[in-house]
């Protein structure tokens, strides 16, 4: 097919985890893909790489003046979002802004849909390193919609997970259960019942391409199916056994040691993400009652396909054979886990029971 007859997709970004996944899928579908980034990480082979720093005044010179079928904007910088849509938005057929469920003002209402209010948009003057992510995304959303006169789709992902998750949030528990080190420290109830909504990066990319090229408009949450953290840990344990059996190894056997989460502040263990954390565990405050419990109804109506979380977890283990859990950006290192268990043995704090009870 002649290049001019192919669907032309421009990624503003494209070298990050989602951006690379979008690139691969769009190329596999036979589209022509151009990606604009500084190139701090590799572009996917086959992509037309445009190396540009969006801080620079002429950043969009090489991609302006073309009628893109679809532009996918991945930034969290309001100035970048505004300048890009002003330079490129007039001629683009379809425009997707990849936002976040963090753009909502409140995380306290379980089941809230896309009509929930968004955070106060971050002024451009406050844009930059360390800026409030949710407010920045809210500003980017508003600018994109305004400049396109509503002819844009704002996709709000919840937690993105899958093999290669650079944050380590979705990979910690599967890879931890795939290790033979025993026992495993897990959050005790009630936080074992914390909600989990993980959207697989590959399903998210497919949805963005499908909905973007179909010309869908408006706002849509793109979140995973709802599970509890206890169910997620159980899936990780089962998937580790399945993968071991399929490679001719005995299943790892694990005792679970339930950690009393009321000790987290004292033990300097973080919820949710990052070093010395219990990944996916939500903070205790009431303000999180609706976090990871967003409505997925519109996305499903628009055709979002989601593989099962069990499948994502198994694929994380299959793809993560050589990954040392200690090297992940989230979770407990082996030494931290042992230290916390040792502290329990010498005093109160941990309770010896499984994640489900
Ligand atoms: N991870 C989650 O759970 C989660 C949840 C909700 C929403 N999201 C959103 O989902 C998207 C994930 O995207 P992603 O995985 O592809 O990763 P990303 O790291 O957010 O991608 C950012 C892209 O922008 C480019 N970039 C950054 N600064 C630039 C500059 N000054 N000039 C030109 N390009 C620049 C980066 O490339 P270079 O560094 O090479 O320039 C990269 O390609 C983001 O929009 C994120 O906010 C993520």
């Amino acid at each position: 097919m002649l290049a001019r007859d192919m669907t032309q997709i421009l990624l503003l970004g494209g070298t990050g985890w989602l951006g690379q996944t979008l690139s691969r899928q769009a190329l596999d579908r036979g589209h022509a893909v151009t990606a604009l980034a500084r190139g701090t990480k590799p572009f996917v082979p086959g992509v037309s790489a445009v190396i540009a720093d969006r801080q620079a005044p002429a950043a969009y010179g090489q991609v302006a003046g073309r009628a893109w079928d679809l532009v996918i904007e991945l930034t969290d910088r309001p100035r970048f979002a505004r300048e890009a849509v002003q330079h490129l938005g007039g001629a683009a057929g379809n425009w997707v802004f990849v936002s976040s469920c963090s753009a909502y003002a409140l995380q306290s209402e379980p089941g809230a849909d896309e009509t929930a209010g968004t955070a106060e948009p971050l002024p451009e003057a406050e844009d930059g390193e360390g800026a409030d992510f949710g407010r920045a995304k809210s500003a980017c959303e508003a600018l994109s919609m305004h400049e396109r006169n509503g002819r844009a789709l704002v996709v709000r992902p919840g937690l993105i997970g899958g093999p290669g998750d650079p944050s380590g949030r979705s990979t910690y528990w599967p890879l931890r259960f795939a290790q033979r080190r025993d026992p495993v420290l897990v959050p005790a109830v009630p936080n074992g019942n914390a909600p989990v909504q993980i959207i697989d990066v590959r399903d998210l990319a497919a949805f963005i391409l499908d909905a973007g090229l179909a010309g869908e408009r408006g706002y849509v949450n793109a979140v995973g199916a709802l599970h509890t953290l206890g169910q997620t840990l159980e899936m990780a344990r089962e998937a580790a056994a399945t993968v071991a059996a399929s490679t001719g190894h005995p299943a790892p056997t694990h005792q679970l040691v339930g950690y009393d989460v009321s000790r987290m502040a004292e033990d300097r263990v973080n919820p949710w993400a990052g070093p010395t954390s219990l990944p996916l565990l939500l903070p205790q405050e009431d303000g999180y009652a609706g976090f990871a419990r967003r409505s997925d109804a519109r996305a499903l109506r628009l055709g979002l396909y989601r593989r099962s979380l069990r499948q994502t977890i198994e694929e994380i283990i299959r793809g993560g054979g050589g990954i040392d859990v200690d090297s992940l950006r989230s979770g407990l290192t082996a030494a931290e886990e042992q230290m916390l268990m040792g502290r329990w043995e010498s005093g109160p704090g941990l309770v010896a029971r499984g994640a489900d009870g």
Side-chain angles (χ1 to χ4, degrees):
M1 193 189 299
L2 292 173
R4 68 169 180 277
D5 297 330
M6 295 165 81
T7 298
Q8 301 287 330
I9 298 179
L10 172 64
L11 302 179
L12 295 169
T15 56
W17 186 42
L18 175 60
Q20 291 190 353
T21 310
L22 283 162
S23 298
R24 273 186 225 104
Q25 289 192 7
L27 290 169
D28 285 351
R29 292 178 184 204
H31 303 321
V33 182
T34 301
L36 182 148
R38 294 164 302 179
T40 62
K41 283 158 280 182
F43 293 87
V44 169
V47 162
S48 301
V50 174
I51 297 187
D53 187 341
R54 300 177 70 177
Q55 304 272 9
Y60 306 99
Q62 295 178 69
V63 292
R66 289 173 61 179
W68 301 100
D69 295 299
L70 172 63
V71 176
I72 303 173
E73 167 66 280
L74 291 143
T75 194
D76 58 7
R77 306 284 302 269
R79 191 190 117 200
F80 292 177
R82 177 182 56 75
E83 289 178 349
V85 73
Q86 285 175 344
H87 279 92
L88 311 171
N94 297 298
W95 193 277
V96 172
F97 174 64
V98 179
S99 184
S100 166
C101 286
S102 298
Y104 287 111
L106 298 173
Q107 303 293 343
S108 54
E109 189 197 334
D113 67 13
E114 290 82 358
T115 59
T118 45
E120 189 187 337
L122 186 80
E124 277 187 39
E126 293 175 28
D127 189 0
E129 202 67 28
D132 183 314
F133 175 74
R135 291 186 58 203
K137 282 290 197 188
S138 172
C140 296
E141 286 189 2
L143 291 158
S144 306
M145 272 295 179
H146 175 77
E147 293 293 333
R148 288 274 302 170
N149 292 319
R151 293 181 305 114
L153 180 67
V154 170
V155 177
R156 295 175 176 146
L159 177 63
I160 305 171
D165 175 1
S167 80
R169 290 171 293 190
S170 66
T171 49
Y172 173 76
W173 295 111
L175 297 178
R176 176 65 189 89
F177 275 97
Q179 289 190 321
R180 293 187 177 274
R181 189 159 48 80
D182 195 38
V184 182
L185 190 74
V186 298
V189 287
N191 287 57
N193 294 326
V196 170
Q197 278 183 318
I198 297 175
I199 176 94
D200 189 295
V201 68
R202 296 158 293 181
D203 298 337
L204 174 62
F207 177 68
I208 290 170
L209 291 170
D210 287 342
L213 288 169
E216 301 294 351
R217 306 281 190 249
Y219 303 85
V220 61
N221 298 332
V223 295
L226 184 59
H227 295 283
T228 65
L229 182 51
Q231 289 167 339
T232 307
L233 300 182
E234 193 46 41
M235 284 184 223
R237 188 153 68 155
E238 280 170 18
T242 304
V243 174
S246 72
T247 52
H249 294 94
T253 51
H254 292 301
Q255 277 198 304
L256 304 185
V257 173
Y259 176 68
D260 177 356
V261 294
S262 68
R263 292 189 61 103
M264 288 176 73
E266 189 183 334
D267 288 339
R268 295 173 189 242
V269 175
N270 298 303
W272 185 241
T276 321
S277 68
L278 291 169
L280 309 181
L281 182 73
L282 299 182
Q284 301 285 293
E285 296 95 71
D286 287 346
Y288 288 91
F291 192 89
R293 295 177 73 180
R294 291 271 161 204
S295 168
D296 54 10
R298 179 163 194 231
L300 295 177
R301 278 199 305 276
L302 294 185
L304 170 65
Y305 162 80
R306 294 184 299 209
R307 72 198 68 204
S308 68
L309 180 57
R310 174 68 170 67
Q311 186 181 344
T312 296
I313 287 174
E314 191 172 317
E315 287 165 357
I316 287 170
I317 296 173
R318 287 190 192 284
I323 298 174
D324 178 2
V325 169
D326 279 20
S327 69
L328 296 177
R329 285 176 58 200
S330 295
L332 299 173
T333 63
E336 287 167 341
E337 209 180 345
Q338 264 176 3
M339 189 267 289
L340 288 166
M341 291 199 213
R343 200 176 281 176
W344 166 68
E345 278 164 11
S346 61
L350 296 179
V351 285
R353 63 183 179 196
D356 294 324

